[in-house]
Amino acid sequence: EVQLVESGGGLVQPGRSLRLSCAASGFTFGDYAMHWVRQAPGKGLEWVSGISWSSGSTGYADSVKGRFTISRDNAKNSLYLQMNSLRTEDTALYYCAKATGYYYDSSGSDFWGQGTLVTVSS
Amino acid sequence: QTVVTQEPSLTVSPGGTVTLTCGSNTGAVTSGYYPNWFQQKPGQAPRALIYSTTNKHSWTPARFSGSLLGGKAALTLSGVQPEDEADYYCLLYYGGARVFGGGTKLTVL
């Protein structure tokens, strides 16, 4: 059974940093790209970032480019999102999602975690 | 700025058929945008329905189908069930990034 468990969310002040993690199990993690998607309270889904199976390619939404960094450790079956210079508008539930193929840009997402809540507030 | 457009809301009767669309301000949506569709019910994580325009996941009910229609990606529900009431999101590929539409709230009434 595929499982994705996000962690690392919490309350943080504007301008500070936070690192999210996603622990994957139930599939060969290193064979698939991964995504981060977020959802602000009461709002729609926003694709945040994606990473290919080998970390060879990554992509970011314009809203987070230059502030967020996606990475993965295939040996630890883990996905990460380093979030710097956080803004109040980054407040959201952050989901990690498994891609359907090797590359994040041409792959959709099939399995999703339950999300971890990030609140940016002073 | 890339904008993906969806109908904000649609209403359908049980047993009826409804088509949700997904357009782009950059022009016609083609298979090269790898359209994906997701369903989300209140308090739940999104559930994937369709990938790469027409492909269903193993759990996708047969009444859901994806296509291209009039320059847009489309999700058609045939024989709508009460449990199909949910928010539906499309996702398109744009040269290294992916962008969600604003979502369609589907009411079954």
Side-chain angles (χ1 to χ4, degrees):
Chain A
E1 179 194 4
V2 172
Q3 285 200 323
L4 298 167
V5 180
E6 302 92 339
S7 61
L11 175 63
V12 62
Q13 293 179 326
R16 303 299 290 266
S17 299
L18 208 58
R19 188 195 196 205
L20 305 184
S21 299
C22 172
S25 61
F27 65 101
T28 305
F29 182 73
D31 282 353
Y32 294 92
M34 296 292 293
H35 298 273
W36 285 102
V37 176
R38 69 185 181 183
Q39 187 168 34
K43 302 297 184 183
L45 301 175
E46 180 184 14
W47 180 83
V48 173
S49 183
I51 186 168
S52 67
W53 65 284
S54 65
S55 304
S57 64
T58 58
Y60 299 90
D62 287 344
S63 58
V64 307
K65 202 173 291 183
R67 300 188 298 123
F68 289 12
T69 302
I70 191 172
S71 62
R72 64 188 296 162
D73 185 334
N74 288 347
K76 294 183 177 179
N77 291 339
S78 292
L79 175 72
Y80 306 101
L81 186 68
Q82 178 66 43
M83 303 186 296
N84 298 333
S85 303
L86 282 161
R87 305 168 180 167
T88 56
E89 55 264 36
D90 295 319
T91 294
L93 185 62
Y94 283 74
Y95 295 102
C96 82
K98 171 186 167 294
T100 54
Y102 288 116
Y103 301 101
Y104 74 89
D105 47 6
S106 54
S107 298
S109 316
D110 46 12
F111 293 94
W112 295 59
Q114 290 302 306
T116 186
L117 182 62
V118 172
T119 303
V120 184
S121 174
S122 54
Chain B
Q1 181 186 359
T2 301
V3 177
V4 178
T5 56
Q6 296 183 245
E7 298 86 1
S9 63
L10 291 170
T11 300
V12 61
S13 300
T17 297
V18 65
T19 297
L20 290 65
T21 67
C22 176
S24 172
N25 68 338
T26 61
V29 175
T30 66
S31 59
Y33 284 78
Y34 303 100
N36 281 246
W37 290 93
F38 301 89
Q39 177 192 66
Q40 188 180 35
K41 296 182 178 180
Q44 296 183 15
R47 182 174 77 139
L49 294 174
I50 300 288
Y51 64 98
S52 295
T53 309
T54 61
N55 297 286
K56 299 180 186 183
H57 295 283
S58 59
W59 54 81
T60 304
R63 62 184 180 274
F64 290 85
S65 63
S67 65
L68 295 175
L69 193 65
K72 297 181 179 182
L75 176 70
T76 299
L77 289 70
S78 304
V80 171
Q81 302 297 305
E83 60 266 28
D84 297 332
E85 183 162 294
D87 293 327
Y88 291 84
Y89 295 92
C90 68
L91 176 68
L92 300 180
Y93 160 68
Y94 291 90
R98 306 215 57 157
V99 180
F100 279 98
T104 295
K105 183 176 184 62
L106 183 66
T107 300
V108 181
L109 201 58

